[in-house]
Amino acid sequence: MALFTRKRRTEDVSEPAKLLISDHMKVERIFEEIKSAESPNMRKSLVTQLEAELTRHTTIEENVLYPFVEEHVGGGEELISEAEKEHQEASLLLDKLANLDPSSPDFDPTVKALEKAVSHHVNEEEHELFPTLEDATDEATLAKLRLDLENEKLGMTPSPTMPSEVGGGRAKPSSTRSSSSGAADVWVQPHPKDDRWQVKRSGATRASRVFDTQSEAEEFGRTLAKRERTELVLAGRDGSIRDKRSYGNDPANVPG
């Protein structure tokens, strides 16, 4: 059973919503294919596709949509705070799923838990966030937002590496920017306005997440850097770089 009915979800909505709802529907189809796939190799390949799609979708929302909502929509910060928590929950479940052997007894329950988390997030966006955004924004501005989302999406190149053998290690998607530097580095650093800690991609205008403790920020930063196969940079309160670690193409840095 699909997460949602296909009841013309992309009709009578704004241009940014059309783009993002199309992503939602694609992810839902992949979930269905994972659940109906019979061979472990096929399930593993589909999980790799799911990881690439969710990573790209999450990134364009966090880099473009969420800052826009916070700036242009009344009460936007509260809406985005909840959305970011939902992203974090899904991210942790996705990381767990991508590391599981499809033959593991934990595989199906983890798929179910991730699907439930994504379904809840999609429902919140399509029935609360998107309509609120449309009510607060004129058509010309929404058209510009759609263009910004498309450009961000084009700047990412998901190239999932399909697994050659089940149980032989995790196949990581490569969601990198189309530039010589590859994916943006992930920084764990003090929050500029208070005593909290933030996780922020280099070049981003806002933090991906803000945490009360340094250890929580570092844990999430590692998960993000591993998932995006990029470099993790740990900064101190004095602005110095305490540590760097690459989670790029070196197989030793890819969690098994």
Side-chain angles (χ1 to χ4, degrees):
M1 182 175 65
L3 289 174
F4 296 99
T5 63
R6 303 294 168 83
K7 187 181 176 181
R8 305 186 179 189
R9 286 162 58 188
T10 57
E11 293 186 11
D12 299 322
V13 297
S14 66
E15 288 302 313
K18 283 183 182 179
L19 180 70
L20 297 170
I21 291 172
S22 293
D23 284 352
H24 293 167
M25 295 171 70
K26 185 172 184 178
V27 166
E28 291 164 11
R29 287 194 294 270
I30 297 174
F31 271 119
E32 292 302 313
E33 291 171 3
I34 291 172
K35 291 186 291 183
S36 63
E38 296 183 358
S39 76
N41 274 332
M42 179 58 71
R43 296 181 113 194
K44 192 70 173 178
S45 295
L46 288 166
V47 167
T48 303
Q49 293 179 34
L50 178 68
E51 188 177 18
E53 290 299 329
L54 282 176
T55 297
R56 179 169 61 172
H57 181 77
T58 296
T59 300
I60 68 171
E61 286 194 334
E62 292 179 353
N63 287 355
V64 178
L65 177 67
Y66 291 176
F68 182 94
V69 171
E70 288 182 326
E71 181 178 352
H72 293 88
V73 177
E77 290 188 2
E78 184 176 348
L79 286 171
I80 296 312
S81 177
E82 179 62 25
E84 287 178 335
K85 290 177 183 177
E86 292 167 358
H87 272 190
Q88 183 178 355
E89 178 187 0
S91 176
L92 294 174
L93 286 167
L94 178 62
D95 195 62
K96 178 181 178 180
L97 178 64
N99 280 291
L100 284 174
D101 187 310
S103 301
S104 165
D106 292 332
F107 186 85
D108 286 342
T110 305
V111 170
K112 184 176 181 180
L114 176 59
E115 184 180 31
K116 181 179 179 180
V118 171
S119 174
H120 174 78
H121 179 69
V122 164
N123 188 60
E124 290 287 319
E125 283 197 338
E126 294 188 13
H127 294 92
E128 183 174 355
L129 179 60
F130 295 166
T132 302
L133 171 63
E134 290 160 7
D135 289 343
T137 316
D138 61 72
E139 286 190 19
T141 306
L142 287 170
K144 174 63 166 55
L145 175 60
R146 161 90 186 217
L147 182 61
D148 291 342
L149 288 165
E150 288 177 336
N151 288 337
E152 183 76 10
K153 199 170 187 179
L154 287 172
M156 302 183 67
T157 330
S159 302
T161 303
M162 294 302 161
S164 58
E165 179 181 357
V166 173
R170 176 181 178 181
K172 295 288 296 179
S174 176
S175 296
T176 62
R177 303 222 173 254
S178 300
S179 69
S180 59
S181 61
D185 295 341
V186 174
W187 283 69
V188 176
Q189 56 192 182
H191 192 270
K193 296 183 179 180
D194 51 44
D195 292 332
R196 295 180 297 169
W197 288 79
Q198 67 180 20
V199 177
K200 185 177 180 182
R201 293 177 179 88
S202 61
T205 57
R206 65 191 295 276
S208 298
R209 299 282 191 281
V210 178
F211 297 89
D212 290 332
T213 67
Q214 180 179 350
S215 61
E216 289 175 318
E218 290 185 5
E219 180 181 0
F220 179 74
R222 278 191 295 271
T223 298
L224 190 61
K226 288 178 182 178
R227 191 179 72 197
E228 299 187 4
R229 298 182 71 173
T230 187
E231 189 168 83
L232 175 68
V233 182
L234 305 179
R237 288 202 177 275
D238 60 356
S240 64
I241 295 176
R242 297 188 295 108
D243 191 23
K244 282 187 178 182
R245 181 169 182 184
S246 175
Y247 293 95
N249 294 321
D250 183 354
N253 289 329
V254 180

